[in-house]
Amino acid sequence: LSQDFHTRGKRVEEQIELLRNLWTTPLVKFQGQWDAIPDAGINPLPVQRPIPIWFGGHAEAVLRRVGTMGDGWMPNYRTAADAEPSLKVIKQYAESASRNIRDIGLEARIMYGSGDQEKWAKRISEWKKVGASHISINTMGAGFSTPDQHLQALRTFSEAISK
């Protein structure tokens, strides 16, 4: 796309500001380093304003974005204990931006694995202790060969955690 890969993070930060303006303001005039909009708007505006922006990743720059401007974080850690050092970094960035880390969503990803419901419950409990607000389940690597098997696994997980 003829863009410098090394400036992608700064472009993302600028685009977040632009997107939030577009999602909340009837008429936007924006001049950034990479993007310029002389006069535009979205009509009708989204019902949810602003639309939440969540980040995934573990690089220092991502953790800073989560803490300073993100609505949520989707780590790719298997356990809450593995995520704790990054959560501490996010908390520091949030506090430096006068934000509370409890206002930043955290989506934990649980592996379906062998279908061990006790293991799921333990993982969910661990994630909740560190502030998880959302839980997702990953059925990849569980040996399923059809979409129906994956869907059944999702149902099984949903029923198990709803008890």
Side-chain angles (χ1 to χ4, degrees):
L1 300 175
S2 300
Q3 296 292 318
D4 180 358
F5 184 77
H6 298 96
T7 62
R8 71 191 184 284
K10 291 294 181 189
R11 286 196 324 267
V12 164
E13 291 174 10
E14 180 178 293
Q15 290 165 351
I16 288 168
E17 178 185 350
L18 174 56
L19 286 169
R20 286 184 171 151
N21 282 329
L22 285 167
W23 292 334
T24 60
T25 307
L27 185 61
V28 173
K29 295 179 183 189
F30 183 86
Q31 180 61 53
Q33 184 174 349
W34 290 279
D35 297 299
I37 295 182
D39 195 7
I42 298 174
N43 187 11
L45 287 169
V47 173
Q48 182 177 358
R49 292 182 230 160
I51 295 171
I53 296 176
W54 287 51
F55 296 96
H58 307 120
E60 180 79 18
V62 172
L63 302 179
R64 179 183 50 78
R65 281 186 205 101
V66 172
T68 59
M69 66 178 61
D71 296 302
W73 182 45
M74 300 172 291
N76 197 22
Y77 290 116
R78 297 234 175 159
T79 68
D82 290 341
E84 284 190 88
S86 294
L87 285 167
K88 288 178 183 173
V89 171
I90 292 170
K91 183 178 181 187
Q92 291 170 343
Y93 281 119
E95 288 173 351
S96 73
S98 301
R99 299 180 74 207
N100 189 325
I101 194 167
R102 288 181 299 223
D103 296 331
I104 300 170
L106 172 60
E107 180 184 313
R109 185 175 303 148
I110 308 295
M111 300 301 292
Y112 187 87
S114 65
D116 185 338
Q117 295 182 15
E118 289 180 19
K119 188 173 184 177
W120 299 338
K122 181 177 184 273
R123 289 280 188 253
I124 291 169
S125 175
E126 292 166 352
W127 278 105
K128 284 183 178 180
K129 286 178 186 169
V130 299
S133 56
H134 296 72
I135 302 285
S136 65
I137 181 75
N138 183 345
T139 61
M140 293 184 298
F144 303 132
S145 59
T146 69
D148 285 339
Q149 289 173 318
H150 286 276
L151 289 170
Q152 183 54 51
L154 295 175
R155 285 186 207 98
T156 299
F157 179 79
S158 177
E159 291 166 5
I161 66 167
S162 298
K163 292 179 185 176

